[in-house]
Every structure is written in C-alpha cells, then in structure tokens.
Amino acid sequence: MTDARPWAAPRADSPIDARVRVPGSKSLTNRWLVLALLAEGTSVLRHPLRSDDSERMVGALRALGAEVDDEDPAVWVVSPPAGRLRGGIDIDCGQAGTVMRFVPPVAALADGPVRFDGHPSARSRPVGPLLQALGDVGVTVREEGRGTLPFEVLGPLPATSGAEPPHVGIDASASSQFVSALLLAAAAYPRGLRLEHTGPTLPSLPHIEMTLDVLASVGVRVDRPDATSWLVHPGPVRAVDVTVEPDLSSAAPFLALAAATGGRVLVADWPETTTQPGERMREVLAAMGARTDLTAAGLLASGAPDGRLRGVDLDLSEVGELTPVIAALCALADSPSRLRGVGHLRGHETDRLAALVTELTRLGAGARELPDGLAIEPRPLVGAPVRTYHDHRMAMFGAVLGVAVPGLEVEDVATAGKTFPGFDLAWEEAVRSAAPTQASASPTGHP
C-alpha cells in the first residue's frame, strides 16, 4: 500500500451533464517523438500529452542527443542530433511501456551502449521477445535472463552485406508494442527490416495500425504481405508539423460517467476519423444500452433511457486498455458480464486481471479470472478502499465505481498522472455537474 492520502471518489446522486477536454494521446505523442528523433530536420508537435510517460520519452530523446524545446506546453519542437545518436547513457523508463519498448530498437543506432531501467513495478513487464529480435538483427543485448528491465543495448548496429533486409520473427502475443517498436525504427536500419509475428495471438492490433499510419505520414514505406508480417523499406524519415489528437482512452472513464449516471458528457474535439482504439468505447456503450453521438463540438455520450446498464459478453482483445473502465460499468450493470481476449493484461503496469478481481471482490461484486479475461456478476456494492497498484487505469476504474458507491476511496489517485495529469480535478468538476436532487439511490438503479 502506498502512503499517499486516499482520494474520496465523488458520488453522483443524479444524472451528469458535463463537458470535458482530455489531454493529447499518449500513444500518438510517443510515436511522434520517436519519429522526430529519427527525422531529417526539425519536427513540431502541437497539443502533445505532457505526462509522466511522455516526459520519460522526452528524457530518452535528450539523452540520445536530441534537442527538445517543450517550454510551451502546447507546442514542442524536436531537433534530432546532427550525427549518430549518443551512446554511453542511461535511460530511466519509469513505468512507461512505450519507452522501455520503443526506444531500444532506436538505441541500436547509438554510438555506444544504452542502459535501460525503470520503476520497480516495471521490472516485471515483458520485453524479452523484443530483445531477442534485436539480437537476431545483429544487435548485442545484455540482460539478466528474465526478459525484463534492466538491460543494455550495445550500439551501433553492425554493418552487414547484402541487399535483402534481415528477416526477424517475433512473438508479440504479450504486447503489440514489440511490433510497433521495430516498425518505428526499421527505416533507419541500413537494409530496413522484414518482420513476422510468430505467436498464437496478436493483441491490440489497432495500435499497430496506428503505427503504420504515422509511418506513412512521415514517408516511410511499409509493405504488408499479410496481416501479421511487414516489410519496412530503408529510407529517410520526414520531419513533421502535427497536431496530436485527444487521448480517447483517457476519455473512456468520462464516457462511462454518462452511462453510470444516466446523464450526458460531451468530450470536446473528438476526431471524425482516428486510429486510436479508444474509439471502440462507443460500441461498448451501445452494447450496454447507452449511446454516443458525434457532433461538431465533440462526442456526446448519453446514458440509457431507463438509466440501467446491460451486462455484456465482449471480446476486448483489440482494446485491452479499456478493460478496467468497462469492468467498472459491468459491476454496475443489471446482469452478468464476460470480458474476453485480454489475457495479455497480466503483463501490464500490474496484473490487471488479478487486480480487478481483487478490487471488485473487496467492494462486494462477484468476479473471477478466466484464462483470457474476466467474469463479473453484479451484486450490492459497499464503500471500501480501491488499490491502484501504481496503475493509471486502476485509478480510473475506482473513479467510475465511486459515482455509484458511497464511501469509496481510491488509493493514490495521482497515479492517473501517468497519462492524464490532473485527472482527479477534472473528474471532480465533471461529477459536480450533476443537478441537485434529494434522491439517495444510485443513478444506475444499482442497489
């Protein structure tokens, strides 16, 4: 348990009517930063996410020799080093999975060793398949035999003969970030890279589509022989001036707030088209009886007309990061739910499946782990502390439940700052938008 003061999650006694603005996408911010490091020229990122994860990535870029002017929080300017990336450095990944996975393939280009470590909780997150793939390309990697932090990448990538790109197989069943990491760096390799996923499952495929989309926008050519193999051609990375979309995964708890209270929440500046998996939250809410409407101002989420939530049976393999928020809604539903395809969440900031079962059970819900997910049975819930396990998504899970459960406290809500600094303040403001009422029952009708 942390010694941080517990946060009393605000309860809503009536439907919400709120407008919120969420920070820039973490996934897009950190992809653009990696490409800006490799670009031929100076890049500009507008409305990037400033959070612990993105600041760790900025720190990695600076350590590797880039100049990053982030004095204006709304406009970051990235100038890559004139020559080879700097080696002989240490990179602190914190808890950022994108740093511990996206940066090592880039570090293979550095002029000397690059050492990686991070928060103690990050030392159990898998990275072994990526390190093995780097070894297959010819990069020397030193690690402790566990396939986790800490490890060392010894650049520079050795020169090789021949015209064909190296062919590397990787089992990305534990994380699609392994594939994205290699795709982001491969155009800077002398012969590019032919990459093939060899595992039984490939979670979070939309995040790979996101990576391919940003690569195309910087002029990197990627052929796709089939759904799980990619050929990245060597060539220059074009500098960009890009506006980062709002983080739709960070918007998910606010959309859930509308569903949980039978109210309305408008998320400003929702993109008309996007590669972000968080867009799928709209489908989830529809399955549970709520609705969403894309307007000129943003996305408007509205609770079910009868104020109740339906249980669901969902495959979340492509949107695993939404699981904690969806699990909170399932605990408030009027029938059991099953969430499938998310076994890989056992290797995230914490074992999210075990954490969700533990916390739901403590609050009184029926919950059990499945080989690939969760089974949740709604029961009367009681106020109790919700542990966050240093996991930003668990803090958001607790906040959603708190609107319907009096007396619920969230341990270390500040951990949400990993991707949404000031989440608790934004949440409190949104919940305060509930109209005054004398009702004492939960807005969802949940006992």
Side-chain angles (χ1 to χ4, degrees):
M1 293 284 287
T2 180
D3 59 0
R5 177 178 296 180
W7 176 62
R11 183 168 182 254
D13 287 330
S14 63
I16 294 294
D17 190 358
R19 176 188 174 98
V20 300
R21 188 178 300 276
V22 298
S25 164
K26 176 201 76 171
S27 296
L28 285 169
T29 295
N30 279 0
R31 282 166 171 78
W32 288 120
L33 285 171
V34 170
L35 292 174
L37 174 66
L38 299 173
E40 294 189 337
T42 297
S43 293
V44 179
L45 276 65
R46 302 183 187 276
H47 302 296
L49 170 68
R50 184 186 289 277
S51 72
D52 186 70
D53 272 23
S54 60
E55 289 180 347
R56 297 287 181 180
M57 185 65 81
V58 167
L61 265 61
R62 286 173 171 152
L64 288 163
E67 293 184 7
V68 183
D69 181 355
D70 60 351
E71 184 175 350
D72 182 346
V75 182
W76 291 0
V77 180
V78 182
S79 301
R84 195 186 296 274
L85 301 181
R86 182 188 300 140
I89 60 170
D90 295 276
I91 291 178
D92 184 353
C93 304
Q95 288 185 299
T98 49
V99 177
M100 74 177 71
R101 291 165 179 159
F102 289 1
V103 179
V106 174
L109 301 166
D111 189 17
V114 179
R115 295 169 291 275
F116 293 82
D117 203 353
H119 190 279
S121 66
R123 293 179 187 150
S124 62
R125 299 189 69 179
V127 72
L130 176 62
L131 301 183
Q132 178 62 52
L134 289 176
D136 292 343
V137 175
V139 180
T140 300
V141 178
R142 293 175 182 164
E143 52 110 359
E144 299 175 358
R146 298 182 296 113
T148 64
L149 293 169
F151 58 84
E152 185 176 39
V153 176
L154 283 77
L157 182 70
T160 54
S161 59
E164 291 297 314
H167 187 176
V168 173
I170 186 168
D171 183 354
S173 300
S175 175
S176 68
Q177 288 181 352
F178 300 158
V179 171
S180 287
L182 292 164
L183 294 177
L184 287 168
Y189 290 3
R191 293 180 292 147
L193 185 67
R194 185 181 295 275
L195 182 62
E196 179 182 1
H197 167 60
T198 59
T201 61
L202 185 54
S204 303
L205 190 58
H207 277 113
I208 296 177
E209 302 295 341
M210 176 189 292
T211 300
L212 295 173
D213 187 68
V214 299
L215 285 170
S217 70
V218 297
V220 174
R221 180 183 165 196
V222 183
D223 296 336
R224 196 168 188 177
D226 56 57
T228 56
S229 61
W230 305 265
L231 172 61
V232 184
H233 295 263
V237 175
R238 189 168 56 235
V240 296
D241 186 329
V242 64
T243 298
V244 179
E245 296 175 5
D247 194 312
L248 305 191
S249 294
S250 290
F254 292 93
L255 301 180
L257 177 60
T261 66
R264 307 192 320 160
V265 174
L266 177 74
V267 177
D269 301 326
W270 194 279
E272 290 188 14
T273 60
T274 183
T275 56
Q276 292 189 63
E279 167 77 10
R280 286 277 307 278
M281 191 66 185
R282 299 181 64 182
E283 299 174 23
V284 173
L285 292 180
M288 302 190 80
R291 62 174 292 177
T292 58
D293 297 285
L294 188 59
T295 74
L299 187 72
L300 179 65
S302 305
D306 61 2
R308 303 186 71 89
L309 294 169
R310 295 194 295 265
V312 288
D313 185 337
L314 297 173
D315 180 352
L316 300 180
S317 57
E318 293 189 346
V319 289
E321 65 197 50
L322 301 180
T323 301
V325 165
I326 296 171
L329 288 180
C330 290
L332 302 176
D334 60 7
S335 57
S337 295
R338 176 173 174 168
L339 306 179
R340 299 176 283 109
V342 289
H344 61 285
L345 295 186
R346 294 183 172 95
H348 277 234
E349 281 83 345
T350 186
D351 180 339
R352 281 185 180 159
L353 298 186
L356 287 167
V357 167
T358 298
E359 301 312 307
L360 286 169
T361 301
R362 178 183 292 118
L363 295 171
R368 59 187 175 90
E369 285 192 54
L370 305 172
D372 70 337
L374 296 170
I376 299 171
E377 181 180 349
R379 295 174 184 167
L381 302 180
V382 297
V386 170
R387 295 185 63 191
T388 56
Y389 306 87
H390 303 290
D391 187 335
H392 55 140
R393 303 297 179 198
M394 291 299 296
M396 296 174 182
F397 156 85
V400 172
L401 283 173
V403 299
V405 181
L408 186 148
E409 293 184 330
V410 178
E411 168 206 271
D412 192 17
V413 72
T415 193
K418 182 176 188 290
T419 50
F420 194 148
F423 168 79
D424 54 333
L425 300 179
W427 189 261
E428 290 169 2
E429 182 177 355
V431 174
R432 281 198 300 268
S433 70
T437 179
Q438 299 301 314
S440 58
S442 164
T444 62
H446 189 79

